[in-house]
Amino acid sequence: MAPDPTTGRVLRDSDEGSVAAAATVSLTLRIRRYNPEVADDPWWDEFTVTMEPTDRLLDALHEVKWHQDGTLGLRRSCAHGICGSDAMLINGRNALACKVLVQDVAPKATIEPIRGLPVLKDLIVDMEPFFAGYRSVLPFLINDDGDPERERSQSPEDRHRYDDTTKCILCAACTTSCPIFWGDGEYVGPAAIVNAHRFIFDSRDQGARDRLKILSEKTGVFRCRTTFNCTDACPRGIEVTKAIQEVKRAILFDRF
Amino acid sequence: MATTHTYDAVIIGAGGAGMRAAIETSDRVRTAVISKLYPTRSHTGAAQGGVCAALANVEEDYPEWHAFDTVKGGDYLVDQPAAQLMTEEAVDAIYELEHWGLPFNRTPDGKLDQRRFGGHTRNHGEAAVRRACYAADRTGHMILQTLYQQCVKRNVRFFNEFYCLDLLMEEGRVAGVVAYELATGDLHVFRAKTVMFATGGYGRMFKVSSNAHALTGDGPAVAFRRGIPLEDMEFFQFHPTGLNKLGILLSEGARGEGAILLNKDGERFMERYAPTIKDLAPRDMVSRAIFQEMKEGRGAGPSGDYVFLDFRHLDPKVLEEKLPDITEFSRVYLRVEPTKELVPIQPTAHYAMGGIPTDVDGRVVVGPQETPVPGLYAAGECACVSVHGANRLGTNSLLDIVVFGRRGGADMAAYAAGTEAPDLPGAPVGSTLDMLNGLLTRERAENAADIRKDLQAQMYEKAFVVRTEDGLKEMKRDLANLRDRYSRVGVQDKGSVFNTDLMEAVELGFLLDCADALVTAALARDESRGGHYREDHPLRDDANWLKHSLAYREEDGSVRLEFKPVKMGPYLPMERKY
């Protein structure tokens, strides 16, 4: 007979005895809705759900979708912050719904789609402009030397130079928190720069000049006004603004 | 009206296997990749610990040792020639990923670093060996990103957020697939000379799982409904270290770096179950050991239903540099600080060893005679080659997707180049429309979410780490009941735009099919082997059961089983001790 985990609550030895009392909490979700088949303009809906404090906000959205309103549109997959599907604006800040716990937002949370990309339905936005920005920075290793028989050598120090920006999951939380991106659809945005950085500072790559040329154009890094929204928004803890500054310096001083 | 597209190669799924195949086909034949997720959302990205190859960068190692470990780890149900081939091709597969820029961790002298992993040993079991190449605990993320980057470079054509709902066959050969476009609700017919399923697993049939919500067995179920058998479905891997109750994976790489398992008394219990490699025993053995500890009253917590993973003795720098993500998972989801506190863990449904039967070139083969289905391919977790047998070794899934994704893609391209485009069957979208219209027009007498929840709870109770004849028989009855309820499911969202309500109901149907095959095969196999443990038949029975199962969906909805021999090789079955 398998154990039956009935609650999302986490127990520790010190918790014994208090378990039965693991309290549920009420959470009211105020969600910005849009459905082109229903109305031309967006509207707000409120739903109240009862959850475990340690449930994810994503679990609460599922509770709404599965038991209150099946038409609610959202993207999600892995539910633990790796796939990058469920970036949304939660109480005014971009985050992944699967990395926010109910106890951190209860009793009330306001949920909106991420900004700066066309809303298609409820919390689902058109990601194509975002991925177009990503694709524009040549996001793949460029090396014309021909492949060696074994691995290319790279010291741990050289590997470390671009470590931070390899963590990007392309969730768009950074790009859609950037006021410059909201105001100017041409700016490639933080995530594209992060992914360029990942190759520019990779000792095995030979495409840095091409990428820096792309990023020195008017749609590139010099649009950045270092508001740090992107760094605050990144669910992977990438120092996005720092990466952008490093790319700016690489262009200005021709050093990378 | 459905839009019709024509391609030489259509690949369903954009995880590691699908994208590796697409890299192989896209330069040579007209290729489309159909994926219900954006490619970078695929669950390959959740793989953590590493990918093994006998590079011998940090200690002596050989592909043959790796092959032996794979066969023994799979409890001798592995097709040995396939395991030999995979472990030999592993070395070049890793170099290829490195050449494409994959940011592996490095040794001080600039080579790819390697670490220990469960069941991987030197010289046929002497001691744990450093064989797993890794990128912190984000190896799958890096593989997924690197393969996507290579697809961007090659301008691979993706159809993102398209769900494959039917396989089209004409005169015994593949003719294409039917897909549903999530953004519009439109149906598309992809006429194709070759089709590859690379849709991943179906772990979402269990209540506690490391799997993404998307992992609903779409490819296997679609094939199953069209008469393709599913092989070795009874073998499902329950990873020992999921976060308690949530199932979120904590990599075996943690134990590779020195973390240990403790019961509620603080005892390192794996010393009793696997005296040589202890906490690095294969996953099936560790998960059973945890259940045994719980059964004997040494589980932690008021219900005694979890044990602990202990990192406290490790240098905090190891957690920070080599295990950063799982450290964060403990902090975010359990609010536990692994450098100072014990992390509560329990086994979690993780990986399907079974799936669509293929040969080593990804070609789908049916029946005991292994007859190829012209033009049909499968690769990755949804396929069964079989290189994992009854229990997959850690890291071999990432290896599987790159080795057999490449081989399958190469064979598809060669086959497609030499064949004419197939004719489409009459009314190609007929049965898909019937299915969707049923869900859209029926009164909502049953809610798909409730049925799914019951399925998950029942499978967790009766078809998880420990199984019995009584429990599986009951599960068969439960499934008949769930299926009956499913016939009355209606969806609330009647719209065309991003109707995920509708697609979730369809996915539940896929899960029910996969569960049917799993439970039927598990009930038949009255022995214990690898991930399939029958408490009422606790020993392996090579005389009767050294064979693969093949489950077929019959016209009347029942499941019929056939069996085929295991392809043996140099390794004779012996008792599995570690």
Side-chain angles (χ1 to χ4, degrees):
Chain A
M1 183 80 168
D4 180 25
T6 49
T7 71
R9 185 166 153 72
V10 174
L11 305 169
R12 296 181 213 167
D13 283 349
S14 57
D15 285 332
E16 284 191 43
S18 65
V19 185
T24 55
V25 294
S26 170
L27 173 64
T28 298
L29 295 166
R30 189 163 170 268
I31 303 175
R32 188 175 169 87
R33 306 292 304 270
Y34 171 68
N35 185 340
E37 294 182 296
V38 172
D40 291 338
D41 296 319
W43 72 95
W44 291 91
D45 270 342
E46 272 196 13
F47 304 93
T48 298
V49 292
T50 302
M51 305 298 297
E52 302 288 334
T54 50
D55 283 337
R56 293 158 275 203
L57 183 60
L58 177 64
D59 300 321
L61 290 166
H62 273 148
E63 183 57 27
V64 171
K65 183 170 178 64
W66 294 341
H67 292 112
Q68 297 191 34
D69 185 351
T71 69
L72 179 66
L74 71 150
R75 290 190 177 103
R76 88 290 186 262
S77 189
C78 79
H80 66 285
I82 294 299
C83 77
S85 298
D86 62 347
M88 46 190 83
L89 193 62
I90 299 164
N91 288 338
R93 296 175 67 126
N94 276 1
L96 302 179
C98 63
K99 285 193 81 173
V100 174
L101 299 192
V102 166
Q103 64 192 24
D104 298 328
V105 292
K108 188 158 183 168
T110 301
I111 318 283
E112 299 165 75
I114 47 177
R115 291 182 181 157
L117 294 167
V119 178
L120 301 176
K121 181 183 181 182
D122 298 337
L123 303 171
I124 298 171
V125 300
D126 181 1
M127 293 294 286
E128 275 310 317
F130 171 80
F131 278 101
Y134 166 81
R135 287 191 297 266
S136 74
V137 300
L138 311 174
F140 40 82
L141 191 86
I142 296 171
N143 183 313
D144 296 328
D145 288 346
D147 295 334
E149 208 165 288
R150 295 179 60 101
E151 70 265 50
R152 291 194 187 89
S153 185
Q154 184 169 56
S155 70
E157 294 71 33
D158 282 344
R159 164 69 179 76
H160 188 70
R161 286 188 73 198
Y162 65 100
D163 183 65
D164 200 36
T165 46
T166 63
K167 296 188 295 196
C168 176
I169 54 174
L170 297 168
C171 68
C174 61
T175 295
T176 61
S177 72
C178 173
I180 313 295
F181 181 80
W182 299 335
D184 178 357
E186 297 289 295
Y187 176 42
V188 294
I193 300 169
V194 160
N195 281 278
H197 178 284
R198 177 253 169 274
F199 290 104
I200 290 166
F201 294 94
D202 185 336
S203 59
R204 301 168 296 175
D205 183 82
Q206 300 170 340
R209 281 185 199 288
D210 295 332
R211 289 190 200 93
L212 292 173
K213 184 164 179 298
I214 292 164
L215 290 174
S216 67
E217 287 166 6
K218 67 178 171 56
T219 56
V221 286
F222 294 106
R223 291 284 169 105
C224 167
R225 291 289 173 269
T226 56
T227 55
F228 284 88
N229 282 17
C230 50
T231 301
D232 289 343
C234 179
R236 302 287 286 154
I238 300 170
E239 294 182 273
V240 181
T241 314
K242 183 180 166 202
I244 295 172
Q245 293 302 97
E246 286 177 359
V247 173
K248 286 181 187 170
R249 275 201 298 277
I251 293 170
L252 290 173
F253 305 111
D254 194 28
R255 207 168 55 217
F256 44 85
Chain B
M1 271 313 289
T3 310
T4 301
H5 313 257
T6 301
Y7 284 92
D8 296 318
V10 168
I11 295 163
I12 318 296
M19 289 205 284
R20 183 61 192 84
I23 289 168
E24 210 61 25
T25 59
S26 61
D27 291 342
R28 295 151 71 184
V29 295
R30 270 174 53 78
T31 299
V33 180
I34 295 172
S35 174
K36 69 177 179 178
L37 302 173
Y38 272 82
T40 57
R41 314 296 182 220
S42 303
H43 206 54
T44 296
Q48 297 170 355
V51 53
C52 273
L55 306 184
N57 276 4
V58 290
E59 61 179 305
E60 184 183 12
D61 199 8
Y62 305 96
E64 192 274 319
W65 291 0
H66 186 184
F68 170 81
D69 289 336
T70 299
V71 171
K72 181 181 172 189
D75 221 347
Y76 297 91
L77 197 72
V78 172
D79 285 335
Q80 295 189 18
Q84 289 174 304
L85 183 144
M86 179 177 79
T87 51
E88 279 159 17
E89 294 196 357
V91 175
D92 283 339
I94 299 302
Y95 292 145
E96 180 177 71
L97 290 171
E98 194 285 324
H99 296 156
W100 285 340
L102 199 141
F104 285 114
N105 279 42
R106 299 285 176 156
T107 63
D109 60 348
K111 293 194 281 193
L112 302 185
D113 197 11
Q114 299 188 274
R115 68 178 166 202
R116 298 188 182 97
F117 235 82
H120 290 278
T121 70
R122 60 169 279 111
N123 196 20
H124 304 194
E126 278 178 11
V129 71
R130 291 185 172 87
R131 184 179 290 148
C133 304
Y134 64 99
D137 54 356
R138 311 181 178 115
T139 314
H141 165 75
M142 300 301 189
I143 289 180
L144 188 69
Q145 295 289 326
T146 300
L147 293 175
Y148 184 58
Q149 291 155 7
Q150 291 298 311
C151 287
V152 168
K153 183 180 176 186
R154 288 167 174 76
N155 227 348
V156 169
R157 177 77 168 98
F158 287 100
F159 290 84
N160 295 327
E161 298 185 322
F162 277 56
Y163 289 66
C164 172
L165 301 186
D166 199 5
L167 170 66
L168 301 175
M169 305 282 293
E170 182 68 2
E171 293 175 0
R173 67 177 283 210
V174 161
V177 296
V178 178
Y180 175 90
E181 184 180 2
L182 186 64
T184 62
D186 293 337
L187 288 180
H188 295 254
V189 173
F190 288 82
R191 181 177 172 224
K193 295 175 183 176
T194 60
V195 168
M196 172 186 275
F197 286 112
T199 59
Y202 36 86
R204 277 281 151 183
M205 69 173 69
F206 297 100
K207 178 174 178 173
V208 175
S209 174
S210 65
N211 282 198
H213 286 283
L215 292 177
T216 50
D218 303 12
V222 162
F224 192 49
R225 291 174 184 184
R226 288 290 171 191
I228 306 296
L230 300 179
E231 180 175 349
D232 289 345
M233 292 294 281
E234 63 271 43
F235 297 104
F236 203 95
Q237 178 163 86
F238 305 100
H239 193 295
T241 57
L243 282 185
N244 186 36
K245 295 180 171 56
L246 293 166
I248 295 170
L249 185 67
L250 295 186
S251 170
E252 196 169 270
R255 282 169 285 140
E257 296 290 354
I260 56 173
L261 290 162
L262 302 178
N263 61 23
K264 77 163 185 184
D265 303 324
E267 183 206 3
R268 187 182 182 185
F269 57 88
M270 281 311 298
E271 289 179 331
R272 282 187 274 114
Y273 297 90
T276 306
I277 60 175
K278 303 183 179 78
D279 302 85
L280 286 173
R283 292 171 179 176
D284 59 326
M285 297 179 74
V286 181
S287 285
R288 274 196 299 281
I290 292 171
F291 266 66
Q292 192 62 29
E293 290 300 294
M294 293 173 183
K295 191 178 167 186
E296 293 174 12
R298 292 188 293 276
S303 311
D305 56 2
Y306 60 87
V307 295
F308 298 108
L309 191 57
D310 184 5
F311 298 83
R312 295 172 303 175
H313 53 290
L314 299 184
D315 184 340
K317 273 182 74 173
V318 171
L319 274 78
E320 195 181 308
E321 287 169 13
K322 295 187 171 176
L323 304 166
D325 279 4
I326 64 169
T327 303
E328 199 200 4
F329 295 154
S330 304
R331 290 173 182 153
V332 169
Y333 296 108
L334 297 189
R335 303 287 153 102
V336 165
E337 175 48 52
T339 57
K340 298 193 180 80
E341 296 176 281
L342 297 172
V343 182
I345 59 95
Q346 67 161 108
T348 182
H350 184 55
Y351 185 88
M353 272 73 74
I356 304 167
T358 73
D359 66 13
V360 294
D361 292 311
R363 300 186 300 174
V364 173
V365 291
V366 302
Q369 308 305 320
E370 304 210 316
T371 312
V373 180
L376 187 60
Y377 293 78
E381 188 175 347
C382 78
C384 181
V385 178
S386 149
V387 283
H388 308 307
N391 171 63
R392 175 176 68 74
L393 285 192
T395 77
N396 274 353
S397 55
L398 291 176
L399 186 57
D400 175 356
I401 61 178
V402 290
V403 167
F404 294 104
R406 184 189 70 76
R407 294 184 67 91
D411 204 87
M412 280 176 99
Y415 175 83
T419 189
E420 294 299 310
D423 293 328
L424 286 173
V429 299
S431 52
T432 305
L433 270 180
D434 288 347
M435 172 176 72
L436 297 180
N437 285 338
L439 291 166
L440 285 166
T441 57
R442 258 194 304 273
E443 189 194 342
R444 194 170 177 234
E446 287 279 356
N447 176 359
D450 294 337
I451 298 174
R452 184 177 54 228
K453 190 176 176 197
D454 290 347
L455 169 73
Q456 291 167 341
Q458 290 160 354
M459 289 294 287
Y460 181 69
E461 191 188 338
K462 296 161 196 170
F464 207 61
V465 175
V466 177
R467 300 165 174 177
T468 64
E469 181 179 350
D470 289 347
L472 291 165
K473 278 184 171 161
E474 206 176 298
M475 192 65 229
K476 283 274 281 189
R477 289 193 291 275
D478 291 339
L479 278 167
N481 178 259
L482 293 168
R483 200 166 268 293
D484 179 54
R485 289 170 61 194
Y486 184 70
S487 69
R488 292 191 295 279
V489 166
V491 297
Q492 212 177 352
D493 191 340
K494 311 290 187 191
S496 304
V497 178
F498 286 94
N499 191 341
T500 49
D501 195 24
L502 177 64
M503 284 302 107
E504 285 186 26
V506 170
E507 290 173 322
L508 172 62
F510 293 154
L511 275 182
L512 286 169
D513 278 354
C514 292
D516 258 352
L518 188 155
V519 172
T520 305
L523 182 57
R525 188 175 286 271
D526 53 5
E527 65 153 357
S528 290
R529 184 185 297 271
H532 172 68
Y533 180 71
R534 285 278 300 265
E535 200 170 33
D536 46 345
H537 296 275
L539 298 179
R540 196 175 75 199
D541 175 6
D542 288 330
N544 292 303
W545 286 108
L546 187 58
K547 58 188 180 187
H548 299 291
S549 69
L550 295 170
Y552 293 80
R553 166 70 74 210
E554 295 284 79
E555 290 278 328
D556 66 359
S558 64
V559 178
R560 172 174 63 87
L561 293 179
E562 277 184 351
F563 298 91
K564 68 178 182 183
V566 175
K567 294 186 188 69
M568 300 304 285
Y571 310 116
L572 292 176
M574 58 179 187
E575 193 187 353
R576 212 155 141 255
K577 281 187 173 168
Y578 284 93

